[in-house]
Amino acid sequence: METSLHDALKAARRSAGMSQAGLADRAGCKQSAISMFERGRTDVLAWEKIVRIAEILGTDIRPYAAHMIPTVLDDGRILKCCTNFACERNIPRMIADRLMVRPTFLYAADDADTFCPECLAKMISRCPNCDSPVKRGNGCSACGTPYVVCSIPGDVSQVANWVAARRREIRDAMAMNEEFRTDD
Ligand SMILES: [Zn+2]
Ligand SMILES: [Zn+2]
């Protein structure tokens, strides 16, 4: 009787007497995302959002988290990010003629390895250069080291073209993922 994560959260929502729209409202996402998620498209919601939904519904998702991401969710969980340049959750952008990649973040326990739910790369919780804790952003706020090392050769115009193509590629792949925002 293996219940899946989306079935468990769907059942929890129903027993809480909450509509998809009501849950979406509280979790800060679209009703359509909840709908797709409940039908098994667990990739439409970012992990942090799934955690938030589970909190709202009072559901313990650690048994599922262990399956989806090998770590334990707890109050002491910390921010980690994926530093894989090829990861489809890591979104490239041009900032003042410089290629930057915004990594994907999630909260996870400090004392366990965490692997990116997209590319399975081991995620980092500390700056590889100065050991400062990972914070949201393109790179370390303490020493300026980018979290994702970019390796596209060529001049600025070629890089810009590559970024545009890569963003389209990622947008297509993650069309339903509301975490993708072109906020530049
Ligand atoms: Zn990744
Ligand atoms: Zn640093």
Side-chain angles (χ1 to χ4, degrees):
M1 53 128 282
E2 284 284 47
T3 308
S4 57
L5 174 63
H6 63 275
D7 283 336
L9 289 177
K10 182 182 183 178
R13 177 184 61 75
R14 286 184 165 169
S15 67
M18 207 180 287
S19 66
Q20 287 182 346
L23 179 59
D25 204 30
R26 284 191 58 185
C29 63
K30 294 194 177 119
Q31 184 265 329
S32 58
I34 300 280
S35 171
M36 294 189 76
F37 175 83
E38 289 189 351
R39 279 179 284 152
R41 284 284 311 276
T42 48
D43 59 321
V44 301
L45 290 174
W47 181 249
E48 295 97 312
K49 198 65 81 180
I50 295 172
V51 170
R52 173 82 186 114
I53 287 167
E55 282 168 358
I56 292 168
L57 297 172
T59 304
D60 183 357
I61 59 169
R62 279 174 295 184
Y64 308 103
H67 163 66
M68 291 182 72
I69 303 170
T71 189
V72 179
L73 287 170
D74 215 340
D75 286 333
R77 68 203 165 164
I78 58 168
L79 200 58
K80 299 188 181 184
C81 72
C82 172
T83 62
N84 178 9
F85 181 60
C87 178
E88 295 224 316
R89 285 203 188 191
N90 291 347
I91 302 166
R93 61 183 56 203
M94 294 298 288
I95 298 174
D97 283 351
R98 262 189 84 202
L99 172 62
M100 298 291 287
V101 173
R102 184 179 58 186
T104 184
F105 295 92
L106 54 75
Y107 290 95
D110 198 1
D111 59 354
D113 286 347
T114 304
F115 301 92
C116 175
E118 176 70 27
C119 72
L120 303 182
K122 188 173 165 182
M123 301 178 88
I124 62 163
S125 59
R126 298 191 158 270
C127 171
N129 184 50
C130 75
D131 211 38
S132 294
V134 159
K135 292 185 181 144
R136 285 183 190 274
N138 296 317
C140 175
S141 57
C143 74
T145 302
Y147 290 135
V148 179
V149 176
C150 304
S151 56
I152 289 297
D155 64 28
V156 168
S157 67
Q158 288 172 321
V159 173
N161 287 340
W162 178 87
V163 166
R166 178 71 176 148
R167 287 175 70 92
R168 278 196 299 275
E169 211 175 278
I170 292 175
R171 187 182 290 118
D172 290 347
M174 309 276 297
M176 296 310 297
N177 192 315
E178 57 171 15
E179 275 300 291
F180 184 85
R181 296 192 187 96
T182 52
D183 53 7
D184 54 355

